Amino acid sequence: MILKQLRLSRLLSQEQLAQMSGLNVRTIQRIESGHKPSTETLKCLAAVLEVDVLTLTKEHFVMDKKSTDWQQLPTGLKWLFALNFFSFRPSRSAACRVEIISHGFGFVFCLLGIWSEPALAGGLLLLANAYLFRLHLWLGDKYGVWYDADGLG
């Protein structure tokens, strides 16, 4: 169930969602951990999250072109993704590739740094880039901004 992704994409805490839907926080926690909710619970959550009940029962969250979730993100986060991907349709698989390539070349250049200081500096910059893309992946997962077909990877 994609409740957690929908909740996070709307920047809501479990407590806020529970209060808005009239449900118990523990109920929200149970649903997010994989328990099957009742139909009435799904209706309450769907009304608050402004989605239909069928959407809530999906396993993966995929943003479509008409989705307003992307527009509702904080401006700084939108620009972070746009600048890093040169696109307003970020792909998780592309971010994973950049992270892996940066780690690989970063380690290679750090090893070459035994003989050359510029190679060491380049290696450290590549490793820093890799860790920034790890943060980028975490933010993308947290706010559900990926346009990949399989949602989270």
Side-chain angles (χ1 to χ4, degrees):
M1 182 172 287
I2 63 166
L3 177 62
K4 184 174 183 177
Q5 289 92 354
L6 287 171
R7 175 178 61 80
L8 291 174
S9 73
R10 285 156 176 78
L11 306 174
L12 295 172
S13 68
Q14 289 179 335
E15 292 79 15
Q16 289 170 324
L17 181 59
Q19 184 179 18
M20 292 169 69
S21 63
L23 300 171
N24 191 319
V25 175
R26 185 69 187 124
T27 303
I28 305 293
Q29 291 169 344
R30 281 190 198 110
I31 295 168
E32 287 185 359
S33 69
H35 289 82
K36 185 168 171 44
S38 69
T39 306
E40 287 303 313
T41 300
L42 283 174
K43 287 179 183 177
C44 291
L45 292 169
V48 170
L49 296 171
E50 298 174 344
V51 295
D52 57 88
V53 175
L54 227 56
T55 302
L56 274 177
T57 59
K58 290 182 183 177
E59 289 299 318
H60 293 289
F61 180 63
V62 179
M63 290 183 109
D64 61 354
K65 294 178 194 173
K66 299 171 189 88
S67 174
T68 60
D69 292 340
W70 177 249
Q71 287 84 18
Q72 293 173 357
L73 289 176
T75 304
L77 194 60
K78 284 192 282 191
W79 279 107
L80 171 72
F81 281 94
L83 291 174
N84 280 320
F85 289 100
F86 302 109
S87 167
F88 282 102
R89 294 176 50 95
S91 160
R92 189 177 198 285
S93 58
C96 285
R97 283 192 301 272
V98 171
E99 181 197 9
I100 291 168
I101 291 168
S102 294
H103 268 116
F105 280 105
F107 288 127
V108 168
F109 276 86
C110 282
L111 285 175
L112 292 174
I114 295 171
W115 299 282
S116 167
E117 283 185 28
L120 178 62
L124 293 174
L125 286 173
L126 283 167
L127 288 174
N129 184 60
Y131 290 112
L132 286 173
F133 264 86
R134 171 52 41 197
L135 173 65
H136 196 78
L137 284 163
W138 177 77
L139 283 171
D141 292 342
K142 180 177 177 181
Y143 293 108
V145 300
W146 305 118
Y147 278 91
D148 293 43
D150 60 353
L152 293 175

